[in-house]
C-alpha cells in the first residue's frame, strides 16, 4: 500500500476474514493517536469506524461509503513493567507484538483468541475470549484502563472503576462508543513459553461434554475440536486438547537453555487462488476422519510451543483463501450452563444437514463479564466455519438462531454476518442499555459500521 500522510485517506475495498461482504470506504491509517481526532472530525456523513487487523469474520470493521480508521500503524509499546506485568500500549499493537515484548520477562497475554494477529483495540472492542475463559474470563477484564476518543472529540481515560458504564459499553461494543487510542493490559506470569498438553479423543459428544465438565478445574486452557459430520453413536466425536504453561523442569534439557524463547515461525503463504468448492461435505468429512484417527486416544504431558497450541492457523498466512472466492462464514453461539440438550440438538441439526464445518470448536465458558454486548456467558460455546455457498446454510443457521435464543443464548457479533435486529434483541438482554449509552455519547450517529447498520446497534 502506498504511504500517505496520516490525514489523507483513499478508497479501499474491505472485507473481514471470511471475505464475504466487501464494501468500499475511505481508509485512513494514522501513525499516532493524536492524529485520530482530526480524522474523526472530518468524517463523511456515513460516519466512521475503527479497524484493527481485520480479523473479525465479517463486517464489524467496515463502513460502506464512510470512513474506516485503521489503527495498525499506531503500534507503539509505551511502557512494560516487568515486575508488575503491566503493559501500556497504543491500540494498534498486536497480541503477537505483546508476546514478543513480554515473554523474555516471563509474561504472556492474559487472553488469546485463536489467532495472535489481532490488535489490542480489536481485542477490547470484541471483548475476546480464549481457551482459558473458564478460568480467566475475557480480555477486557484484564484491562485496568483504556483511553477513548469519544464521538464528541473528547479523549477520556476510562476504567471499570472510574466510568463503569462507558468501560463496559466499550468492552464488546464493537467500536461504537469511540476509538480506543491506548490501553493498559495486565499480563499473566509464565515460567516458560511452552505448554504441557494432554490430548484425549472421545467417542461422541456426550463423552466430550462430560470430560470438559469434569476437567474444568484441572486445566487452565482447554478446547475440543469436533467432527461435526459424524453421525449415530459417533455424533460429536471430538479431540480435546488441554494444557498449562510448562514449568522449567518439564522442559527437555535442550529447551531449558532458552525457556522463554518465542519465535513466531516464518509463515508460509496459502496459494493466491483455490478452486471454488474445494471444501465441501465430502472433502471435509474425509479431512475430519483423518484428523480424528490421527489423534492419540490419550496422550499426557506433550510439550508444545505457543504457536502450535494457541494459534495453529497462524502458521499459514491467508489460510482463509482455502474457502475459494466465495469465502466462508463463522457461526459461534453460547448457551447458559445446563443447556446440554441444546448443544446436543444443535450438533444433531448440523450433522443431519451435512453442513461441512472445517473447524468446529466446543468449549465451556466461565462467568461472563459485565460488558453490555460481551459475548461469553457461563455455559457452552460452539464455533463453526462454513463455506459461504453451502447448500441450505441460511435456513440451518436461522433454525440454530431460534434454538439458541430459546435457550437464553446468543451469537457472537465479531463473527456474525446474518443475524436480524429482532434476533439480536432476543439474545442480548442489555442491548437497550447499550443503545442508551450510545444515544448519549453519539446523538448524531457519527460512529457506524456495516454491522451496526444491519443490526441497528
Ligand atoms: C483465526 C481466527 C481465530 C479467532 N479466534 C477467536 C477466539 O478464539 N476468540 C475470540 O473471541 N475471537 C476470535 N477471533 C475473532 C477476533 O479475535 C476478533 O474479531 C477481534 O476483534 C479481531 O481483532 P482485530 O484487531 O482484527 O479487529 P478488527 O477485526 O479490525 O475489528 C473488530 C472490531 O473491533 C473494533 N475495533 C478495532 N480496533 C478498535 C479501536 N482501536 N477502537 C475501537 N474499536 C476498535 C472494530 O470497529 C470492530 O468492531 C478469531 C479470528 C480469527 C481470524
Amino acid at each position: 500500500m502506498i504511504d500517505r500522510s496520516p490525514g489523507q485517506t483513499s478508497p479501499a475495498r474491505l472485507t473481514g476474514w471470511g471475505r464475504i461482504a466487501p464494501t468500499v470506504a475511505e481508509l485512513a491509517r494514522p501513525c499516532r493517536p493524536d492524529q485520530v481526532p482530526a480524522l474523526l472530525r472530518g468524517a463523511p456523513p456515513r460516519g466512521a469506524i475503527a479497524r484493527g487487523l481485520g480479523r473479525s469474520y465479517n463486517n464489524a470493521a467496515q463502513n460502506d461509503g464512510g470512513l474506516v480508521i485503521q489503527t495498525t500503524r499506531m503500534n507503539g509499546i509505551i511502557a512494560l513493567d516487568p515486575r508488575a506485568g503491566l503493559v501500556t500500549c497504543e491500540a494498534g499493537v498486536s497480541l503477537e507484538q505483546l508476546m514478543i515484548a513480554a515473554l523474555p520477562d516471563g509474561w504472556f497475554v492474559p487472553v488469546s483468541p485463536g489467532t495472535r494477529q489481532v490488535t489490542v483495540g480489536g481485542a477490547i472492542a470484541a471483548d475476546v475470549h480464549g481457551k482459558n475463559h473458564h478460568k480467566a474470563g475475557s480480555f477486557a477484564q484484564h484491562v485496568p484502563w483504556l483511553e477513548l476518543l469519544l464521538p464528541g472529540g473528547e479523549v477520556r481515560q476510562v476504567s471499570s472503576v472510574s466510568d463503569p458504564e462507558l468501560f463496559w459499553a466499550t468492552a464488546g461494543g464493537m467500536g461504537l462508543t469511540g476509538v480506543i487510542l491506548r490501553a493498559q493490559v495486565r499480563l499473566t506470569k509464565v515460567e516458560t513459553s511452552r505448554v504441557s498438553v494432554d490430548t484425549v479423543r472421545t467417542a461422541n459428544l456426550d463423552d466430550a461434554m462430560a470430560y470438559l465438565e469434569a476437567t474444568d478445574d484441572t486445566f487452565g486452557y482447554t478446547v475440543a475440536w469436533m467432527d461435526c459430520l459424524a453421525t449415530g453413536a459417533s455424533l460429536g466425536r471430538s479431540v480435546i486438547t488441554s494444557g498449562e504453561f510448562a514449568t522449567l523442569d518439564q522442559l527437555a534439557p535442550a529447551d531449558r537453555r532458552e525457556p522463554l524463547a518465542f519465535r513466531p515461525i516464518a509463515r508460509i503463504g496459502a496459494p493466491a487462488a483455490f478452486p471454488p468448492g474445494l471444501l465441501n461435505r465430502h472433502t471435509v468429512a474425509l479431512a475430519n476422519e483423518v484428523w480424528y484417527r490421527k489423534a492419540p486416544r490419550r496422550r499426557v504431558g506433550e510439550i508444545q510451543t505457543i504457536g502450535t497450541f494457541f494459534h495453529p492457523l497462524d502458521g499459514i498466512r491467508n489460510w482463509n483463501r482455502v474457502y475459494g472466492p466465495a469465502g466462508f462464514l463463522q457461526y459461534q453461539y453460547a448457551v447458559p450452563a445446563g443447556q446440554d440438550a441444546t448443544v446436543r440438538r444443535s450438533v444433531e441439526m448440523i450433522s443431519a444437514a451435512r453442513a461441512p464445518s472445517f473447524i468446529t470448536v466446543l468449549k465451556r465458558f466461565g462467568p461472563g463479564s459485565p460488558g453490555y454486548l460481551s459475548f461469553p456467558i457461563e455455559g457452552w460455546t460452539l464455533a463453526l466455519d462454513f463455506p459461504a455457498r453451502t447448500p441450505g446454510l441460511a435456513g440451518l443457521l436461522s433454525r440454530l438462531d431460534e434454538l439458541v435464543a430459546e435457550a437464553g443464548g446468543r451469537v457472537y457479533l465479531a463473527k456474525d454476518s446474518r443475524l436480524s435486529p429482532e434476533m439480536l434483541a432476543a439474545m442480548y438482554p442489555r442491548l437497550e442499555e447499550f443503545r442508551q449509552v450510545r444515544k448519549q455519547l453519539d446523538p448524531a450517529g457519527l460512529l457506524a459500521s456495516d454491522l451496526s447498520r444491519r443490526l441497528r446497534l
Side-chain angles (χ1 to χ4, degrees), residues 108 114 116 131 193-195 197 199 223 241 262-265 291 294 299 302-315:
F108 186 64
R116 54 183 183 267
K131 291 182 174 189
S193 58
R194 317 297 150 78
V195 188
V197 182
T199 304
V223 80
T241 50
F262 174 62
R263 293 180 199 92
I265 43 168
W291 183 273
K294 142 177 146 344
R299 182 171 55 203
E302 186 195 10
I303 300 296
Q304 293 187 358
T305 62
I306 284 172
T308 306
F309 184 70
F310 287 101
H311 319 115
L313 291 166
D314 283 356

Side-chain angles (χ1 to χ4, degrees), residues 17 49-57 60-61 71 91 113-115 117-119 121-123 125-126 128-130 174-175 178-180 313 319 412 414-415:
W17 192 243
I49 195 73
R51 180 180 179 94
L53 277 159
R55 265 16 182 231
S56 46
Y57 276 84
T71 62
T115 171
Q117 303 302 334
V118 307
T119 62
V128 300
H129 57 271
M174 305 309 289
V179 180
I180 301 163
L313 291 166
W319 61 265
Y412 191 11
K415 303 188 171 180

Side-chain angles (χ1 to χ4, degrees), residues 16-41:
W17 192 243
R19 302 167 73 221
I20 51 173
T23 52
V24 176
E26 285 297 316
L27 184 68
R29 302 181 70 225
C31 302
R32 297 194 316 266
D34 64 11
Q35 293 165 340
V36 184
L39 285 166
L40 203 57
R41 269 197 308 277

